Each structure stands twice: as C-alpha cells, then as structure tokens.
Amino acid sequence: MAMPTLAVVGATGAVGTVMCDLLSSRRNVWGEIRVVASSRSAGRKVQCRGEELTVQALTPEVFDGVDVAMFDVPDEVSAEWAPIAVSRGAVAVDNSGAFRMDKDVPLVVPEINPEQLRNRKKGIVANANCTTLAMIVAIAPLHREYGLRELVLASYQAVSGAGQVGVDTLHDQLAKVAGDRVLGSRPGNVRQAVGDDLGPFPAPLALNVVPWAGSLKEAGWSSEELKIRNESRKILGLPDLKVSATCVRVPVVTGHSVAVHAVFGSEVDAEGAREALRNAPGVILVDDPATGEFPMPIDAVGTDPSWVGRLRRSMDDPRSLDLFVTGDNLRKGAALNTAQIAELLAAELASR
C-alpha cells in the first residue's frame, strides 16, 4: 500500500511554517507532500522532512491525487477551497473557523473525540480555535471524572494569534517604550510613545493588556468569546454547557493562557484532579507554587502539551475547581492538532 499524499495549503504562513517543522519531526506517515500557497508565494522553496519543496499555486488541479489536504488559511479561503479539495478526492482538515460549527463537519481533538472523524458527511474535518484547544485538552479529563456543568474563563492571548503582523507590532512597540522609565506612570504617555502603530489591535499592547480579541458580535460579546463557548460545547458533546468567557490580549509573543473556573456535577478535590491530569494525554502538570513552578507561555512555547497548574478547589463551592492552562497557540492550538487529525486519517486510509 502506497503511503498517502498530503497537501499543506497555506504552507508559507505562521501556522504553515510550524506545520512543516512538525512534519519533519513527527513519525513519517506520508508519501508525497505538496506545499501550496497563494500565487504570490508560488515558486518559493520550503524545507520539509529534509526535502526542499517548491510552493505550488492554489488551483483545483493541485489536489488531484491528494488523499488529505490540510488548510492553514483565512476563513474565506477555506470556505471556497476545502470543498474543491474534497471534490478532487481529498479529505480536508481545516484549521480556520469556516466549518467549525457546521453540524455535518466534526470538530476533532484527537485526545478527546477521535471517533467523531467518522461523521464527516462533507469530507471536511474542522480544527478548533487556538484558545479553546489549549484549555479543552485539560478540561476533558476532568469532565470525564466529575461531570462538567459550567465554565467561567478569562483568556490571556498572545499576539501571534493575530498572525505575524501581531508579533511584529508588539516587538516594534517594545522597542519604542524600552528605556523610558516614566512610561506607564501617567495617562496617555504609553499611547504617545507607541503612536499610531497599533497593527491589528485596538490599543497599544506594550506595557498594557487589552480586554478584546476578535470582532464585535451581538450584546457586546467578541467573536473569540463566542468561539470558546460554542466549540467547547461541540467538542465535549455538551450542547447546554454554561460558558462565559472574557478574552484578553496580552504582550506575549506565543502561548495562549486561560484562567478557568470550572463547576462540576459532583464534589471535586484538587489531588484527584491532579491525578486525572497527570494521566491525561497531551497534558503536562506544572503545579508547585512553593517553588515558583507555574504553567507559563515562556516555558510552553515550542512544546506540544497543554501546561496546567494552580489547581485548587474553590473556597466557596466543593464542586468547583480553579486552574490555569497555557499552550503554544501555533502548535497544539493550530498546526499540531491539524497534523494529529491528518495522521488519524492516514492510519484509516492505510487500514482499508
């Protein structure tokens, strides 16, 4: 049996670049790999699996003979092109938000609901939002143990979630504020120092946090806050789960964090929860406040698991846990989860 053919669409973007790194470091289950991007990137060379691959332009023909196509592109590009890939015989694994809430498209996290892969009526499998992913890998084992009822969340989202322009914006702003010890101690002086260079954000991020990520939706909620709610419900198979989120952008390059208050149907204890997390796939427990051991983005960046810590039972409710989770939003939050889904599909193809 020949090994399946893989197409990586959006190979030159922030997530696509991580994807090529992952394909080089993970167990090789692929035959041919085609790297695909917009016509302006066509002809560029990309290193992948020790080979130098030439980027091909996105056309319908590029999917001929492809078994699995991974999409790391904006929603509107996925919405147009994933069905084209399917029409050419590929299974599309989409990292955008285009299909996540489509009832005929499974939203898969391999550690939690791999069996949902079978329900791909449209030939498309969706990947969750990066903030949801970091958190949900840690929440699922606790849900299995105690029965989740409610989530109250505050996210601390890195600038790379807004793409390379987000990273460049933060570094440019940091350069402008470095060395002036008065900045941040008077109203307006940070805005003045940063100037109009806000990039994709509504306010300066250097020396600041911005309680906003995404676009404005009904009743003052942001798109990112609604994604966490809707996707958590779908991944866990809990359509009535109560979820309330506040999404905050922080001056971190890579690594989304979430402060979680989780309410369960039965009484919880912190040691039992730690035990459930110690044995959970895709989770690393970092929880020793006495020695300053906490899950933090500067340590989680470039790693695969969700880092979890600060576990404590709520003081006022024996059924509630408080915890802190962080994970690399470009790896598990995007490229890694997509790669894991594609590997499950490769195994399925091989067993036919």
Side-chain angles (χ1 to χ4, degrees):
M1 166 83 191
M3 289 169 100
T5 297
L6 176 71
V8 181
V9 185
T12 54
V15 175
T17 306
V18 175
M19 181 64 75
C20 287
D21 289 347
L22 285 170
L23 288 168
S24 305
S25 61
R26 291 177 72 78
R27 190 170 69 83
N28 182 36
V29 298
W30 303 106
E32 182 194 347
I33 293 180
R34 294 180 198 171
V35 289
V36 182
S38 64
S39 52
R40 67 175 180 275
S41 297
R44 274 175 61 180
K45 300 281 192 266
V46 171
Q47 285 293 327
C48 195
R49 271 195 320 190
E51 306 163 48
E52 188 174 65
L53 303 176
T54 302
V55 176
Q56 301 182 46
L58 181 55
T59 63
E61 294 72 35
V62 88
F63 298 109
D64 291 348
V66 168
D67 296 294
V68 179
M70 299 194 292
F71 285 81
D72 294 306
V73 292
D75 293 13
E76 60 278 10
V77 181
S78 284
E80 180 183 349
W81 286 91
I84 293 173
V86 173
S87 73
R88 297 274 171 159
V91 178
V93 184
D94 181 37
N95 186 34
S96 84
F99 299 101
R100 286 178 193 145
M101 300 318 298
D102 185 321
K103 65 179 188 341
D104 294 328
V105 175
L107 184 62
V108 174
V109 181
E111 292 89 342
I112 301 173
N113 61 348
E115 73 289 341
Q116 288 297 322
L117 264 183
R118 292 194 297 272
N119 305 327
R120 50 177 194 270
K121 291 184 188 147
K122 293 187 172 172
I124 300 169
V125 182
N127 195 25
N129 175 281
C130 42
T131 317
T132 307
L133 267 168
M135 174 201 67
I136 209 81
V137 177
I139 290 299
L142 297 173
H143 165 54
R144 280 196 285 272
E145 195 74 27
Y146 301 113
L148 186 64
R149 294 286 168 85
E150 187 173 346
L151 288 171
V152 181
L153 311 166
S155 72
Y156 302 71
Q157 292 179 222
V159 293
S160 58
Q164 188 58 44
V165 62
V167 178
D168 294 340
T169 298
L170 176 61
H171 279 300
D172 291 346
Q173 291 181 2
L174 290 173
K176 288 178 179 174
V177 302
D180 186 340
R181 298 287 175 103
V182 181
L183 288 179
S185 60
R186 294 201 197 102
N189 67 1
V190 172
R191 285 186 185 271
Q192 202 171 352
V194 167
D196 296 331
D197 171 28
L198 299 180
F201 310 114
L205 265 162
L207 308 181
N208 195 27
V209 297
V210 181
W212 188 258
S215 53
L216 183 61
K217 299 296 180 188
E218 64 279 1
W221 294 94
S222 82
S223 58
E224 290 278 309
E225 291 158 354
L226 298 183
K227 282 176 193 174
I228 291 188
R229 177 173 183 260
N230 297 336
E231 294 174 25
S232 296
R233 289 171 154 197
K234 184 168 176 178
I235 293 164
L236 295 172
L238 297 171
D240 300 320
L241 181 68
K242 292 181 180 175
V243 184
S244 202
T246 300
C247 288
V248 183
R249 193 73 74 177
V250 295
V252 166
V253 174
T254 297
H256 288 348
S257 307
V258 186
V260 180
H261 175 78
V263 184
F264 297 92
S266 56
E267 197 166 314
V268 295
D269 72 284
E271 203 34 63
R274 279 191 198 95
E275 203 46 44
L277 289 166
R278 267 190 205 103
N279 299 318
V283 173
I284 183 167
L285 190 66
V286 185
D287 194 10
D288 191 355
T291 60
E293 295 276 318
F294 311 110
M296 294 180 285
I298 55 166
D299 301 318
V301 63
T303 72
D304 290 344
S306 287
W307 295 46
V308 190
R310 293 298 326 277
L311 254 88
R312 57 234 187 263
R313 185 164 87 168
S314 304
M315 282 190 245
D316 304 314
D317 183 355
R319 296 168 308 132
S320 295
L321 271 177
D322 289 277
L323 55 120
F324 195 80
V325 190
T326 190
D328 185 321
N329 51 296
L330 301 179
R331 285 177 83 88
K332 182 57 183 177
L336 174 63
N337 201 70
T338 311
Q340 287 173 305
I341 293 170
E343 287 165 7
L344 289 176
L345 290 168
E348 185 188 301
L349 291 165
S351 67
R352 281 181 187 168

